[in-house]
Amino acid sequence: MDNQKVFRIGPIRPPSEANSLLLQVTAGCTWNKCKFCQLYRHTKFKAYTVDSIKTDIDVMEYYKDLIMKHQRNDGSFDHRDIMDEILSKRLTSEEQNCFYMIYNWLLNGGKNVFLQDGNTLALSAGRLTEVLYYLKSKFPTIKRITSYGRAETLSKVTASQYKELKEAGLDRIHSGFESGSDLVLELINKGVTSEEQIIAGKNIKEGGIELSVYFMPGIGGETLSEENALGTSRVVREINPDFVRIRTAVIKEGTELWQEYINNGFELCSDNDKVLEIRKLIENTNSCQGILVSDHIINLLQDVTGRLDKDNKKMLSIIDEYLNLSIIEQRRYQLARRAGLVSRIEDMQLLTDIQRNQIDKYSKDVFSETEWDKKMNELIMNYI
Ligand code: SF4
């Protein structure tokens, strides 16, 4: 049906953009070769034309206008009237998805927008600027626009181009750095160097745009564990990003890194190795003002979060509390966390007797460390 009122919706957004309007300006990833990632393996990269993106924005505006007719004076919406109107229009399921995205977004204040997919800056800065101005002209309530970008692409954009993008409305760029160590970046075939990360980060910050980088403890395997932490610390110190987000490495079945692991070419890090990497990162970045964020269930210690300078001691003490547990207590906590039952060590006291007994049984069943690390990797695989 050519005349359907639909717009594109991509598959991925950061957790912090859960209530954001998703505007797809590119599809897939320009690189698609990182050894741990399968996200866009079956998507051929495409940068949409400005006209085609504007058409999507027009459809978004159509649903917005339809909903806004039913906004009461106090700002709330007449849900029943909106539903009556939607029913009368006999929307297809794709149209309903689009309608609900706009409706939920408006219910949340219609403030934040996230530009998809994996590498939005592959669209030239000039074209992206035109999209941003058009978007803001149609939705004047927008307060924040954010996007993903690949560091190698981001390093080719100048500080003055970032300034133009900021003026057009781009507020924050998320980038999966994963590691700041060149050895680790090579191991995972990230296709970027730490120097390119630093150029990208400095240009983004100079242009006045917030930068949120992602760090993967454990992605260098056991051999490069310390190197991963120290290399990342150096990059973080050089750039001083606004946010450093922790995404614990998961070696997922089907990826090239998994194959290397199966062929004994890659040794999994234990949960404790990963915690020690985070500890080293915090220790070595205590002059940075950015916020360390742990906003994903795959991270073991979710409450290790705060400003790298001011909350340094607090974060280290949470880590040390965990590291000072006996091995069996650490295993119990890891298991409870991986089962989604707890997010902090104190939460262990809230477990029921049945949960505690199950955890105890499982913790004692697996004796070898290698086998345990494999089990933990399998459990977190379920979350991504
Ligand atoms: S750059 Fe990002 S999306 Fe692309 S392959 Fe690497 S991790 Fe996946």
Side-chain angles (χ1 to χ4, degrees):
M1 280 169 62
D2 288 344
N3 57 354
Q4 276 202 107
K5 293 277 188 204
V6 292
F7 50 84
R8 292 174 288 258
I9 303 175
I12 303 293
R13 53 139 183 87
S16 55
E17 305 294 336
N19 293 322
S20 299
L21 175 64
L22 305 178
L23 174 66
Q24 193 167 29
V25 302
T26 61
C29 167
T30 43
W31 177 245
N32 240 344
K33 292 180 198 154
C34 297
K35 284 187 185 173
F36 61 91
C37 172
Q38 285 183 306
L39 216 52
Y40 300 110
R41 279 292 153 102
H42 304 293
T43 310
K44 196 166 177 296
F45 179 79
K46 189 170 167 51
Y48 294 109
T49 64
V50 171
D51 282 348
S52 141
I53 302 165
K54 283 182 176 175
T55 303
D56 273 7
I57 296 171
D58 291 341
V59 177
M60 291 171 169
E61 187 189 27
Y62 163 80
Y63 287 115
K64 178 198 78 170
D65 290 346
L66 198 144
I67 295 160
M68 292 306 283
K69 278 194 298 182
H70 304 288
Q71 191 176 34
R72 302 188 187 99
N73 289 339
D74 65 359
S76 63
F77 292 92
D78 191 327
H79 182 67
R80 184 172 296 183
D81 279 4
I82 292 172
M83 287 302 129
D84 284 348
E85 182 152 359
I86 288 305
L87 281 174
S88 74
K89 292 199 176 303
R90 297 177 179 277
L91 301 185
T92 62
S93 60
E94 288 91 348
E95 287 175 323
Q96 284 182 32
N97 284 343
C98 294
F99 158 77
Y100 280 113
M101 170 169 283
I102 301 294
Y103 189 22
N104 284 330
W105 182 61
L106 292 172
L107 284 172
N108 281 294
K111 290 183 192 140
N112 301 337
V113 179
F114 180 69
L115 308 178
Q116 298 176 304
D117 266 350
N119 195 13
T120 307
L121 262 293
L123 206 73
S124 73
R127 282 195 285 163
L128 197 53
T129 302
E130 190 179 341
V131 167
L132 290 164
Y133 277 122
Y134 190 74
L135 178 67
K136 288 194 85 168
S137 74
K138 297 288 180 175
F139 296 93
T141 57
I142 290 174
K143 293 275 183 288
R144 191 185 78 184
I145 304 176
T146 61
S147 180
Y148 274 136
R150 207 177 107 69
E152 187 259 347
T153 310
L154 297 173
S155 70
K156 299 199 164 64
V157 181
T158 63
S160 61
Q161 285 173 315
Y162 282 120
K163 197 159 179 280
E164 282 167 24
L165 285 163
K166 170 71 185 168
E167 277 162 14
L170 187 63
D171 298 293
R172 183 183 298 170
I173 292 176
H174 295 266
S175 188
F177 279 19
E178 334 303 4
S179 175
S181 150
D182 285 310
L183 289 176
V184 176
L185 292 168
E186 206 174 309
L187 172 89
I188 60 176
N189 198 26
K190 188 72 199 173
V192 68
T193 63
S194 61
E195 273 322 292
E196 286 170 319
Q197 291 176 336
I198 292 168
I199 292 168
K202 286 187 169 171
N203 285 351
I204 291 168
K205 299 253 341 184
E206 205 181 314
I209 294 178
E210 282 184 338
L211 176 63
S212 175
V213 300
Y214 292 75
F215 165 51
M216 277 190 176
I219 197 63
E222 214 174 31
T223 321
L224 294 179
S225 185
E226 185 171 9
E227 165 75 26
N228 191 28
L230 296 180
T232 307
S233 306
R234 181 180 75 87
V235 168
V236 169
R237 277 197 310 271
E238 289 272 347
I239 301 174
N240 197 8
D242 301 275
F243 302 93
V244 178
R245 290 190 145 85
I246 304 293
R247 286 290 179 279
T248 301
V250 182
I251 312 306
K252 207 166 177 195
E253 221 169 328
T255 60
E256 284 157 87
L257 214 48
W258 171 267
Q259 207 48 52
E260 287 182 15
Y261 160 61
I262 294 295
N263 297 335
N264 298 321
F266 180 89
E267 271 182 76
L268 289 180
C269 272
S270 66
D271 263 335
N272 286 10
D273 293 332
K274 294 171 190 171
V275 168
L276 284 169
E277 285 187 28
I278 299 170
R279 196 183 193 292
K280 282 204 177 71
L281 174 75
I282 295 170
E283 259 183 331
N284 287 291
T285 54
N286 60 7
S287 58
C288 299
Q289 290 85 48
I291 298 172
L292 187 98
V293 183
S294 183
D295 58 352
H296 202 292
I297 191 159
I298 55 175
N299 299 331
L300 189 68
L301 301 168
Q302 193 144 343
D303 52 347
V304 176
T305 183
R307 249 181 75 152
L308 287 163
D309 53 357
K310 291 188 179 156
D311 300 317
N312 200 272
K313 285 203 176 104
K314 181 199 84 177
M315 293 191 283
L316 291 177
S317 77
I318 294 169
I319 291 178
D320 290 342
E321 187 189 354
Y322 164 80
L323 290 172
N324 287 332
L325 295 174
S326 67
I327 291 175
I328 190 68
E329 281 170 328
Q330 287 177 354
R331 282 192 174 189
R332 283 187 191 123
Y333 176 74
Q334 289 169 24
L335 200 51
R337 175 72 182 140
R338 296 333 183 182
L341 299 172
V342 297
S343 55
R344 305 171 308 159
I345 294 168
E346 300 92 280
D347 295 345
M348 291 298 283
Q349 293 161 9
L350 306 174
L351 295 181
T352 64
D353 288 344
I354 295 175
Q355 287 169 334
R356 208 181 306 275
N357 289 339
Q358 281 172 339
I359 283 170
D360 276 355
K361 184 178 172 311
Y362 196 91
S363 316
K364 283 179 197 143
D365 275 357
V366 185
F367 290 107
S368 111
E369 260 180 55
T370 318
E371 194 58 20
W372 181 264
D373 297 342
K374 187 170 167 231
K375 291 274 175 214
M376 291 306 107
N377 187 62
E378 277 168 15
L379 286 178
I380 49 175
M381 231 191 264
N382 296 326
Y383 292 114
I384 58 162

